[in-house]
Amino acid sequence: MSAPRTQNPTPARTFAQRFSATRRGARLARLLAAHQLTEWGHPHGTEAHDVVVLVVAELAANAVLHGRVPGRDFALSLSHDDSRGVVRIEVTDTHPARPARLTSGTDEDGGRGLLLVDALAADWGVDDRLGPGKTVWADCALPRAGAPGC
């Protein structure tokens, strides 16, 4: 008789995927992040969902626009950490330049992405990675248990 199987009471709540460093890849990263958040119990229209999806969109767009190296992809990983009350977003690309938060004038089309990330995320930063490139990460707060909205 075989031993009974035991299941982990807290399933791993992570998502990781590589994407082409194109606009289509950035869009797919955003869409799959939105789907994953819904699977984790944060549906469209909740603050947690909308904030995380917006931060993913900004970081993925930066990876495609500023972190693109021909022939190289970018990676997205999401971690739902109940103990810390955050979703950790990590976007990794192979370009060596580190992102800079710019103060853009009202007439400029770009330069506000990291300002938006800074305003929405509880914390964010840039880490070196093994091999070329860097990982830009952001922690987005989740609602407290029992709080309305999420």
Side-chain angles (χ1 to χ4, degrees):
M1 188 167 188
S2 64
R5 287 186 178 178
T6 59
Q7 290 184 342
N8 185 355
T10 308
R13 290 166 50 119
T14 60
F15 169 85
Q17 181 73 44
R18 296 191 71 75
F19 299 94
S20 64
T22 62
R23 285 186 190 175
R24 184 172 286 174
R27 179 176 183 269
L28 184 56
R30 178 181 53 81
L31 291 172
L32 290 178
H35 176 74
Q36 188 61 61
L37 285 161
T38 300
E39 291 292 312
W40 286 341
H42 304 287
H44 177 76
T46 61
E47 184 177 352
H49 180 279
D50 295 348
V51 166
V52 171
V53 169
L54 188 54
V55 172
V56 166
E58 289 299 331
L59 296 182
N62 282 352
V64 168
L65 294 172
H66 307 293
R68 185 174 185 279
V69 173
R72 300 289 177 125
D73 296 338
F74 74 94
L76 167 68
S77 92
L78 303 173
S79 303
H80 192 286
D81 187 340
D82 287 323
S83 65
R84 290 182 47 227
V86 299
V87 170
R88 162 71 57 113
I89 302 159
E90 296 181 349
V91 174
T92 302
D93 64 57
T94 56
H95 198 281
R98 295 173 75 85
R101 190 175 64 191
L102 304 175
T103 55
S104 62
T106 56
D107 294 340
E108 296 178 36
D109 288 338
R112 294 177 187 86
L114 289 178
L115 291 173
L116 188 59
V117 170
D118 192 48
L120 293 174
D123 196 15
W124 72 277
V126 183
D127 292 332
D128 293 327
R129 60 171 281 217
L130 240 92
K134 76 273 185 193
T135 298
V136 182
W137 58 268
D139 288 337
C140 294
L142 294 172
R144 300 271 184 224
C150 293

